[in-house]
Amino acid sequence: ANLIPSATFALGVQVTDNGTGALSSSATVTVNVDNTPDAPVANDATFSINENSANGTAVGTVAATDADGNALTYAITAGNAAGIFAINGTTGAISIANGALLNYESAASHNLTVTVTDNSPQALTDTAAITINVGDINEAPVLNDKTVSLAENSANGAGVTSMTATDPDSGQTLTYTITAGNGAGAFAINSGTGAVTVANGSLLDYEGGTTQYQLTVQATDNGTGALSDTGVLTINVTNVNEAPVGSAAT
């Protein structure tokens, strides 16, 4: 209760029996009331935020009250070892401190303990359990550059290499295409696996053709927005010994 300081109440109490003459006695009872401060009350809450949110993005504000009207301070005291979140010590507003670590695939939710402390001499506290659910968003696949060697005159259908991308989102299907560097059609790519093969081996002529091809390969996911990445596949054509060609003499 929020009472006046050091209040004193004097109560007159009379006790009467039910015998002949209804005799009674009285006494004074003194009640001293100290205004002991009340602890603040912090409310549990659940907030939602998308993965990879920028540093400084607002998450939500912890609500707390104090019956004595004392000023309150807020601190995250558990569940934030990686430092993903920050809290305003005066307002209780939670924000993103390190969005690079906010990854749905690593943790779909975070459970924070927020301690609220009043500024009374006793520094009374309460805690709130804060659940932060992380929303999954589509992330682009990653396709790395690669360099390989291939003998000239390789047969059509011969394997060159595989361009294999990774995708942070589980369950995504990737599609591969050659988007540049294959104007002559020397190579083909399997759209489902990224396997690159020879499509026209007659063009692979070390002496009279191109000794290096640089193909731009694109990997596209099937998530929202169909995000993609590109990698450069460098194919160095190597020389092989070829039989001499004789001509008839007359």
Side-chain angles (χ1 to χ4, degrees):
N2 191 15
L3 304 174
I4 61 175
S6 303
T8 299
F9 298 88
L11 307 179
V13 178
Q14 179 175 287
V15 180
T16 303
D17 66 20
N18 64 343
T20 302
L23 301 179
S24 65
S25 179
S26 62
T28 299
V29 178
T30 302
V31 179
N32 295 316
V33 179
D34 292 329
N35 187 17
T36 302
D38 297 302
V41 176
N43 299 325
D44 298 343
T46 299
F47 304 121
S48 296
I49 190 75
N50 283 337
E51 64 177 333
N52 304 325
S53 292
N55 293 351
T57 301
V59 177
T61 299
V62 179
T65 56
D66 190 284
D68 302 310
N70 290 319
L72 302 176
T73 56
Y74 301 79
I76 300 173
T77 52
N80 193 39
I84 299 174
F85 304 99
I87 193 168
N88 185 304
T90 302
T91 67
I94 298 174
S95 59
I96 300 300
N98 190 345
L101 298 179
L102 192 63
N103 185 2
Y104 174 86
E105 286 72 29
S106 298
S109 65
H110 297 268
N111 297 308
L112 308 182
T113 299
V114 174
T115 299
V116 181
T117 306
D118 68 19
N119 69 340
S120 69
Q122 295 83 356
L124 301 177
T125 64
D126 191 24
T127 58
I130 305 300
T131 301
I132 301 175
N133 293 320
V134 181
D136 189 18
I137 62 172
N138 189 30
E139 298 170 277
V142 177
L143 184 60
N144 295 322
D145 297 344
K146 194 172 188 179
T147 299
V148 298
S149 296
L150 180 67
E152 63 174 333
N153 303 324
S154 291
N156 292 352
V160 179
T161 190
S162 288
M163 293 290 283
T164 305
T166 58
D167 195 296
D169 302 305
S170 61
Q172 294 274 13
T173 299
L174 301 178
T175 302
Y176 298 87
T177 54
I178 299 173
T179 58
N182 194 39
F187 302 97
I189 192 167
N190 184 303
S191 62
T193 66
V196 178
T197 55
V198 174
N200 189 344
S202 65
L203 299 176
L204 303 177
D205 182 9
Y206 182 87
E207 289 75 22
T210 302
T211 58
Q212 185 183 80
Y213 292 85
Q214 288 190 319
L215 310 181
T216 300
V217 176
Q218 178 173 290
T220 305
D221 68 20
N222 66 336
T224 302
L227 301 180
S228 63
D229 189 28
T230 58
V232 176
L233 172 59
T234 300
I235 303 173
N236 293 315
V237 179
T238 60
N239 191 21
V240 298
N241 188 32
E242 296 170 278
V245 177
S247 56
T250 57

